[in-house]
Amino acid sequence: MPEGHLEGLALTCRPLGEHDRLLTLLSEAEGLTRLAVPGARRPKSSLAAAVPLAHLFLQVGGGSGLRRVRQLRMLRNYSGLAQRLETLAAAQALAELCLKLVPADAPAPGVLADLLLQLGRLEAVVTDRAERVEALAVAVQGSVHLLALGGFALPLQHCVRSGAPLLPPIGDWAWRCSLLPSEGLAIGAIPGARVMLNPSELALLQRLTRPAPPRRRDGQLMGPEVVWLHLLDLVESWCGEHLGQRPRAFRLLRTACDPMPSQPSEPA
């Protein structure tokens, strides 16, 4: 393949040989791309900026086999997310989702832009010293977006059993809908359902398909932390069923946000 340029986000960087790194890059043009970064593990290397959660502009080249990074320019480094456990865990969970959802060496329209948007929101949680529920909400909403972009969208508009519209009757606290991971959401409290939602929880979940986070008029995030943890349960169950594995960082996120985390209903 001839010399070329790639802009993308480093999702993983692993040792390769004695001094090199193996970079997995998420880009709009090529989806997931594995690249060798020669000498990146040397302290004074000009390619040492090839690290996880770095937004990079790369010059790449090479013939058949693994392409090599010739030059790179750092566009933005999200390493500051490590200042808080919940923001780091949220970012890692979204990166793990991309590794599962995005094809290799094929265009991935919209995924990079959405992921960078969510990482920017997580940066704001750190800089604004916002409550930890803000990071949890970014992880849940970002997951809903990435699942849709990757072809595994949660079916949030119609009951998978009856076909009736999912119109949450706000205020009717006896009403429930149930997550059937292999199908979607069904109206009613169905025995054996992985997760059940009340009307307010479903209404909040449906709002997560929009670009902006769900906020009240005063700017405060809608929903208490316990509700966002419940929605995280739902996203985890959907990922486990349709992707074959739940992002491991979801567990770290739960540890950061829930002082008494519950055990998952089945192994990831």
Side-chain angles (χ1 to χ4, degrees):
M1 187 172 292
E3 297 272 344
H5 296 91
L6 276 177
E7 178 192 335
L9 185 78
L11 298 182
T12 64
C13 294
R14 295 182 178 141
L16 180 65
E18 187 175 354
H19 300 295
D20 304 345
R21 288 187 184 137
L22 180 63
L23 167 68
T24 301
L25 188 80
L26 169 67
S27 69
E28 181 90 3
E30 297 188 10
L32 295 182
T33 308
R34 285 157 55 95
L35 300 164
V37 190
R41 295 165 65 200
R42 296 181 186 273
K44 297 183 179 180
S45 171
S46 62
L47 303 180
V51 294
L53 298 182
H55 186 193
L56 304 170
F57 185 78
L58 307 173
Q59 180 184 343
V60 299
S64 59
L66 191 64
R67 285 184 290 167
R68 299 166 71 86
V69 175
R70 308 296 192 196
Q71 297 179 14
L72 70 76
R73 176 162 54 93
M74 173 77 74
L75 300 178
R76 192 166 179 177
N77 191 337
Y78 294 93
S79 61
L81 298 179
Q83 295 178 41
R84 292 178 58 167
L85 180 58
E86 61 269 26
T87 54
L88 178 61
Q92 289 178 337
L94 296 177
E96 285 185 64
L97 262 185
C98 289
L99 290 169
K100 284 287 185 181
L101 289 166
V102 178
D105 303 319
V111 178
L112 176 62
D114 197 276
L115 181 56
L116 293 176
L117 175 67
Q118 307 305 337
L119 294 181
R121 288 172 175 165
L122 290 173
E123 274 193 328
V125 174
V126 175
T127 57
D128 297 345
R129 299 183 180 180
E131 296 182 0
R132 64 188 183 187
V133 68
E134 292 279 352
L136 179 59
V138 171
V140 174
Q141 184 174 30
S143 297
V144 170
H145 286 190
L146 292 174
L147 286 165
L149 289 166
F152 293 93
L154 283 157
L156 300 178
Q157 301 307 320
H158 293 88
C159 171
V160 295
R161 292 287 176 87
S162 68
L166 284 173
L167 301 174
I170 303 299
D172 182 357
W173 298 110
W175 187 92
R176 292 292 184 272
C177 71
S178 302
L179 174 68
L180 308 175
S182 62
E183 304 174 57
L185 290 167
I187 295 173
I190 298 176
R194 192 75 53 80
V195 178
M196 293 187 189
L197 302 179
N198 64 36
S200 294
E201 290 170 332
L202 175 59
L204 180 59
L205 179 62
Q206 289 174 330
R207 290 178 68 104
L208 300 187
T209 59
R210 303 177 186 179
R215 297 191 181 279
R216 301 186 180 93
R217 291 184 179 180
D218 62 1
Q220 292 298 307
L221 186 70
M222 288 184 174
E225 189 170 83
V226 64
V227 168
W228 286 103
L229 286 167
H230 197 199
L231 296 183
L232 181 65
D233 288 339
L234 184 143
V235 169
E236 279 191 286
S237 295
W238 188 257
C239 290
E241 178 72 25
H242 294 274
L243 303 182
Q245 185 178 9
R246 309 170 189 218
R248 295 178 182 178
F250 276 158
R251 296 180 181 178
L252 184 61
L253 179 61
R254 187 179 302 282
T255 299
C257 295
D258 187 354
M260 298 183 63
S262 58
Q263 294 297 318
S265 56
E266 64 180 35

